[in-house]
Amino acid sequence: MKRVSTLFLKIAVIFIGIPILALCIFLVPEIGNIAAKLLPEFAYIKYLVSIVFYASAIPFYFALYQAFKLLRYIDKNKAFSELSVKALKKIKHCAITISTLHVLVLPLFYLFADKDDAPGVIFIGLVVPFASMVIAVFAAVLQRLLQEAIDIKSENDLIV
């Protein structure tokens, strides 16, 4: 039963990565072109937008790889190991990196909102940083709980 659930989660991790890959291939160049059209006085904006989105895709896929490794550790009955703690720590750092990159782009969302007179654009720009910070906090909590469980397990192994 455990292998079926981890297999389902592994497939889910793969399916999470596919739409982001499609967004990087098809949508990011379009967003860069739209940014260049909306703000013609900033000629470099197209490249800045592309760089930030592609740069945030790198830690995203690294975090997905770490999640996949974590599921493999669960399959091998190594869920309560330092390897799992390290994987969660890397996922936390990736989420913080993604959030930081997208917070750095928030002034661009302000410029777009000012140009189009649409203040809701700023809230759309806050979705990715907020979601990745939620993931970072969740990974930090899991990391801490797992580390405490490992410490308790090692204490009990020394007592017996």
Side-chain angles (χ1 to χ4, degrees), residues 27-119:
L27 195 62
V28 170
E30 283 298 316
I31 292 173
N33 291 334
I34 291 169
K37 287 177 187 173
L38 281 175
L39 302 168
E41 59 270 9
F42 301 110
Y44 57 88
I45 201 89
K46 174 181 180 178
Y47 304 109
L48 181 66
V49 168
S50 297
I51 287 170
V52 167
F53 280 111
Y54 288 136
S56 65
I58 294 168
F60 174 78
Y61 281 110
F62 186 71
L64 282 183
Y65 173 69
Q66 294 301 318
F68 202 80
K69 281 176 55 174
L70 194 58
L71 291 171
R72 281 194 317 199
Y73 297 148
I74 292 170
D75 278 343
K76 294 178 183 177
N77 289 328
K78 294 182 182 179
F80 293 99
S81 67
E82 287 296 323
L83 296 170
S84 298
V85 173
K86 287 180 183 179
L88 283 169
K89 186 176 182 180
K90 289 176 184 176
I91 290 171
K92 176 182 72 173
H93 289 305
C94 288
I96 291 170
T97 302
I98 292 168
S99 180
T100 304
L101 283 170
H102 282 270
V103 164
L104 292 176
V105 178
L106 279 179
L108 293 177
F109 282 96
Y110 174 75
L111 290 173
F112 294 147
D114 190 36
K115 191 78 166 180
D116 276 353
D117 199 27

Side-chain angles (χ1 to χ4, degrees), residues 1-10 71:
M1 181 63 186
K2 185 168 59 170
R3 288 200 185 264
V4 173
S5 61
T6 56
L7 178 66
F8 175 73
L9 289 173
K10 287 178 185 178
L71 291 171

